[in-house]
Amino acid sequence: MSEVYAARRERLRERCAGSGSAAAVVSRPANVRYLAGAAPSGAVLLLGRTEDVLVCGRPPGEEPGAERPDAGLRTHVLESRGGDPVVAAAGQAAAQGAETLAVEEHHLTVARHHALTSVAPALRLADLACGVEQLRLVKDEEEISCLRIAAEIADQALGELLESILVGRTERHLALELERRLVDHGADGPAFPTSVATGPNSGRGGHRPTDRRVEEGDFLSVCLGSCYRGYRSEIGRTFVIGTSPADWQIELYDLVFAAQRAGREALVPGAAYRDVDRAARHVLDAAGHADGLPPRTGHGVGLEIDEDPQLAPAAMGKLDACVPVTVEPGVHLPGRGGVRIDDTLVVRCEADGGPELLTITTKELLAL
Amino acid sequence: MSEVYAARRERLRERCAGSGSAAAVVSRPANVRYLAGAAPSGAVLLLGRTEDVLVCGRPPGEEPGAERPDAGLRTHVLESRGGDPVVAAAGQAAAQGAETLAVEEHHLTVARHHALTSVAPALRLADLACGVEQLRLVKDEEEISCLRIAAEIADQALGELLESILVGRTERHLALELERRLVDHGADGPAFPTSVATGPNSGRGGHRPTDRRVEEGDFLSVCLGSCYRGYRSEIGRTFVIGTSPADWQIELYDLVFAAQRAGREALVPGAAYRDVDRAARHVLDAAGHADGLPPRTGHGVGLEIDEDPQLAPAAMGKLDACVPVTVEPGVHLPGRGGVRIDDTLVVRCEADGGPELLTITTKELLAL
């Protein structure tokens, strides 16, 4: 794997050089992990003129099971606890003869930026902006296979839950049980806080589980994901509790399903982000649900659960192949509940079979 | 409760005025919650010249069970999703006629700081520094009662675990079960990731649970805490698995227990932070464990699990009454394991009975 990280750093170095910086300090944890193979707490990566260094506040990988940084990268552990790795990295950049240092202004605090200025006053600080995030957009097959496993784990956890008795159990308990099952099946942990929503709460994006119990006739919507080797998947499904869904439930389900399918089918390389959003959104708009729709119908996933691209009406940009995204439209009717259907897919060209669905749990309306 | 938040904001306003700022924007979530009663995701608090405003990216308290902001505070929800509440708050500060605006430079990113400057170029930006964190140091009785409940919940969860069969179960499973029990007993959730460490892992601070199974003869160290109404407790205990601890285990346990007691007994109003640390550390140093001791033996708790004060050799400052802290010395012998004992206590003067122990689970060496 060492070459992978070195190649990523090389691509970033070219970008930096292109904008006049011979050195950069990367501080955002997911970016550090992407370039160094691990991001021990507080560690930063110096992309140096003569050498790259992972600067850590304490020895990395102390605990069993912790990720190991790229073996081809020098690791420097600060001697005094409480020192700031960003400041130490800037000192090393200056010692390597850098005149300009790019930093992640969208991550670094003003106070740390001041500290940099005072420790290396001769260094000109520039903005690396979202340079690393842009590199992270298109995934390699190794990354996609981690996402695939992350999605499989969530499918397994969800499948097991559906076989158990649900009526009478609280949203909180179901969410905790799902998270335990994720870990049982080999996840590092949940990719984000598991959402379980019943009855009037169902269909709400990001609903925080409450003590409400599952009742006959409820919609039950669940959104979960697992984190596997740092990569995060997302799946959302809505079920109905009891033997026969009401007519309004079937209608609403079919509508959201149609919107979600339209979104999935719009996932082709070259499609504008906003057009994918529009494909899904239009179906719901046309059925009179324009008000109260969520601001976006999907987003990228990877080392973070919420990455670019944003599938939203005002988003700029076009999809590339090998970009994993969620498609997750939903409708929530206040007081009654609603439906959300959420998949993680990888954009692929038609010759490769079109969008690759990672979350394979059925999207039929199951009555549990 | 509304008066409590208003009084906190008034104290902050006096501080700001003292340093020449008529207005401030508070962005650090725990600080927003302290002053506004709730911190909806991304929300910031404008401490204004004529009015205080909670500026949110989306409506707060949408979900059932979400905290409600102080009813006496105006809430402003941004119309366009994706706008930055910090920028909107600065605009309102300018509209209220403020000339200087204090911001939390230790929390605000450089990019957001630039955005402030461009939206309100006439506004002089100053540093609020850790003004709110300093107010948060000494807790009122309402806060302490939340901490007391948080500690009780963790005691209950731990007590139940001790009654179950442990041999053969993995660290990960025990940790997940503890977290489930915390929620069962009414916690909002765990205060921090629960640590369960067995055998050679035992006694390690912040150990991340692995798939190692509990074996006869192991030390088992557990560190957990619950979050109740935002307030976070911490408790750590070490047990021995099987009928009779080995001599080295008894010796090591007695030593760490003596260190922890010395730390607890040093908790009096007016004691220097470093002296509390030294009281506990000295016992371990004298027994030949100076190397490899953690950099601190305790820290404050409250709305965050790791607040000031730091009980560490180089910490500056003295304890006040009503400051809750942990006392948590430990020794880890590489390859063999170790002991950590961790309590949450509130500093009280002698007339009030001395330090108040919130985490009451026994500290005898239990053989399970």
Side-chain angles (χ1 to χ4, degrees):
Chain A
M1 277 299 286
S2 196
E3 325 78 72
V4 173
Y5 301 116
R8 291 175 182 171
R9 294 196 297 273
E10 211 41 51
R11 278 194 290 158
L12 183 63
R13 201 182 319 276
E14 285 160 20
R15 252 172 201 260
C16 286
S19 58
S21 297
V25 174
V26 176
S27 55
R28 189 172 173 174
N31 291 344
V32 173
R33 182 162 185 168
Y34 182 74
L35 298 168
S41 173
V44 305
L45 176 74
L46 169 65
L47 199 77
R49 264 189 87 218
T50 56
E51 188 188 26
D52 298 342
V53 187
L54 183 67
V55 184
C56 307
R58 55 176 192 175
E62 264 183 357
E63 310 117 39
E67 295 81 31
R68 305 263 178 250
D70 171 12
L73 185 66
R74 182 162 76 84
T75 297
H76 173 76
V77 179
L78 297 193
E79 281 178 23
S80 78
R81 304 240 181 183
D84 185 344
V86 164
V87 171
Q92 299 208 11
Q96 288 186 18
E99 291 170 359
T100 302
L101 181 69
V103 298
E104 298 189 293
E105 292 192 351
H106 61 301
H107 179 260
L108 212 60
T109 64
V110 177
R112 295 178 90 188
H113 200 262
H114 286 334
L116 283 191
T117 313
S118 60
V119 77
L123 215 50
R124 201 176 64 83
L125 297 180
D127 187 10
L128 182 58
C130 291
V132 187
E133 283 85 348
Q134 282 157 23
L135 294 179
R136 284 168 48 201
L137 257 174
V138 173
K139 271 70 176 177
D140 64 30
E141 288 304 321
E142 185 68 34
E143 294 182 279
I144 292 173
S145 93
C146 289
L147 283 168
R148 202 177 286 123
I149 295 170
E152 267 174 31
I153 291 172
D155 276 322
Q156 286 173 316
L158 186 55
E160 289 172 357
L161 188 79
L162 300 186
E163 288 168 16
S164 64
I165 291 176
L166 299 170
V167 171
R169 296 170 73 195
T170 68
E171 293 175 356
R172 277 184 196 239
H173 272 107
L174 293 175
L176 283 163
E177 183 172 329
L178 281 166
E179 295 190 354
R180 184 179 60 77
R181 290 184 187 279
L182 293 175
V183 174
D184 278 355
H185 287 291
D188 307 338
F192 55 90
T194 298
S195 175
V196 174
T198 60
N201 300 331
S202 60
R204 212 181 226 150
H207 172 74
R208 236 172 45 168
T210 70
D211 290 325
R212 188 183 183 285
R213 289 174 195 278
V214 177
E215 295 175 13
E216 284 286 329
D218 275 356
F219 264 141
L220 168 70
S221 53
V222 173
C223 185
L224 75 159
S226 83
C227 179
Y228 181 77
R229 295 197 183 164
Y231 285 83
R232 290 159 199 267
S233 70
E234 182 172 329
I235 179 173
R237 292 290 184 267
T238 300
F239 310 100
V240 72
I241 303 297
T243 45
S244 53
D247 289 347
W248 74 272
Q249 289 178 318
I250 296 175
E251 257 171 55
L252 190 62
Y253 192 91
D254 287 348
L255 177 72
V256 174
F257 179 81
Q260 205 255 358
R261 186 176 54 200
R264 280 186 280 123
E265 289 174 353
L267 292 179
V268 292
Y273 301 154
R274 60 171 64 174
D275 290 341
V276 178
D277 176 72
R278 193 188 301 130
R281 188 176 296 275
H282 172 72
V283 175
L284 305 177
D285 274 359
H289 295 291
D291 287 348
L293 287 189
R296 58 184 188 175
T297 54
H299 56 82
V301 294
L303 286 171
E304 291 174 291
I305 189 58
D306 191 353
E307 299 191 348
D308 281 337
Q310 300 294 312
L311 304 181
M316 301 291 287
K318 290 180 177 180
L319 287 176
D320 277 311
C322 301
V323 173
V325 294
T326 66
V327 177
E328 48 174 313
V331 171
H332 175 259
L333 307 176
R336 299 179 79 189
V339 176
R340 274 183 93 83
I341 304 176
D342 184 351
D343 278 316
T344 301
L345 305 100
V346 181
V347 178
R348 304 276 194 189
C349 64
E350 218 178 324
D352 290 335
E356 179 187 352
L357 182 67
L358 302 188
T359 43
I360 59 170
T361 297
T362 182
K363 288 186 283 282
E364 277 175 275
L365 176 54
L366 298 184
L368 304 173
Chain B
M1 276 300 284
S2 195
E3 324 77 71
V4 172
Y5 301 117
R8 290 175 183 169
R9 293 196 298 272
E10 212 41 52
R11 277 194 291 159
L12 183 62
R13 200 183 318 277
E14 285 161 20
R15 252 172 200 261
C16 286
S19 58
S21 297
V25 175
V26 175
S27 55
R28 188 171 176 177
N31 291 346
V32 174
R33 183 163 185 168
Y34 183 74
L35 298 169
S41 172
V44 305
L45 176 75
L46 168 65
L47 199 77
R49 264 189 88 219
T50 56
E51 188 188 25
D52 298 342
V53 187
L54 183 67
V55 184
C56 308
R58 55 176 193 173
E62 264 183 357
E63 309 117 40
E67 295 80 31
R68 307 264 177 249
D70 172 11
L73 186 66
R74 183 161 76 84
T75 297
H76 173 76
V77 179
L78 297 193
E79 281 178 23
S80 76
R81 304 239 183 185
D84 185 344
V86 164
V87 171
Q92 299 207 12
Q96 288 186 18
E99 290 169 359
T100 302
L101 181 69
V103 298
E104 297 189 295
E105 292 191 351
H106 62 300
H107 179 261
L108 212 59
T109 65
V110 178
R112 294 177 91 189
H113 200 263
H114 285 335
L116 283 191
T117 313
S118 60
V119 78
L123 215 51
R124 201 174 65 82
L125 296 181
D127 187 9
L128 182 58
C130 291
V132 186
E133 283 84 348
Q134 281 158 22
L135 293 179
R136 284 168 48 200
L137 257 174
V138 173
K139 271 71 175 175
D140 64 31
E141 288 304 321
E142 185 69 33
E143 296 182 278
I144 291 172
S145 93
C146 289
L147 283 167
R148 201 177 286 124
I149 295 170
E152 268 174 31
I153 291 172
D155 276 322
Q156 286 173 316
L158 187 55
E160 288 172 358
L161 188 80
L162 299 187
E163 288 168 14
S164 63
I165 291 176
L166 300 171
V167 171
R169 297 171 71 193
T170 69
E171 293 175 355
R172 277 185 197 240
H173 272 107
L174 294 175
L176 283 164
E177 183 173 330
L178 281 166
E179 294 191 353
R180 185 179 60 77
R181 290 184 187 278
L182 293 176
V183 174
D184 279 354
H185 287 293
D188 308 337
F192 54 89
T194 298
S195 175
V196 174
T198 61
N201 300 331
S202 58
R204 213 181 226 150
H207 172 75
R208 237 172 45 168
T210 70
D211 289 325
R212 189 183 185 285
R213 290 176 195 276
V214 177
E215 295 175 12
E216 285 285 329
D218 276 355
F219 264 141
L220 168 69
S221 53
V222 173
C223 186
L224 74 158
S226 82
C227 180
Y228 181 78
R229 297 198 181 163
Y231 285 83
R232 290 159 198 268
S233 71
E234 181 172 332
I235 179 172
R237 292 290 183 270
T238 300
F239 310 101
V240 73
I241 304 296
T243 44
S244 53
D247 288 346
W248 74 272
Q249 290 179 316
I250 297 175
E251 257 171 55
L252 190 60
Y253 192 91
D254 287 348
L255 178 71
V256 174
F257 179 81
Q260 205 255 358
R261 187 176 52 200
R264 281 186 280 123
E265 290 173 352
L267 293 178
V268 291
Y273 302 153
R274 59 171 65 174
D275 289 342
V276 178
D277 176 71
R278 192 187 303 131
R281 188 176 297 274
H282 172 73
V283 176
L284 305 177
D285 274 0
H289 295 290
D291 288 347
L293 286 189
R296 57 182 190 175
T297 53
H299 56 81
V301 294
L303 286 171
E304 291 174 290
I305 190 58
D306 191 352
E307 299 191 349
D308 281 336
Q310 300 294 312
L311 304 181
M316 300 291 286
K318 290 181 177 178
L319 288 176
D320 277 310
C322 300
V323 172
V325 294
T326 66
V327 177
E328 48 174 313
V331 172
H332 176 257
L333 307 176
R336 300 179 78 189
V339 176
R340 274 184 92 83
I341 305 175
D342 183 351
D343 278 315
T344 301
L345 306 99
V346 181
V347 177
R348 305 276 193 188
C349 63
E350 217 178 325
D352 290 334
E356 178 186 353
L357 183 68
L358 302 188
T359 44
I360 58 169
T361 298
T362 181
K363 287 186 285 281
E364 277 175 274
L365 175 55
L366 298 183
L368 303 173

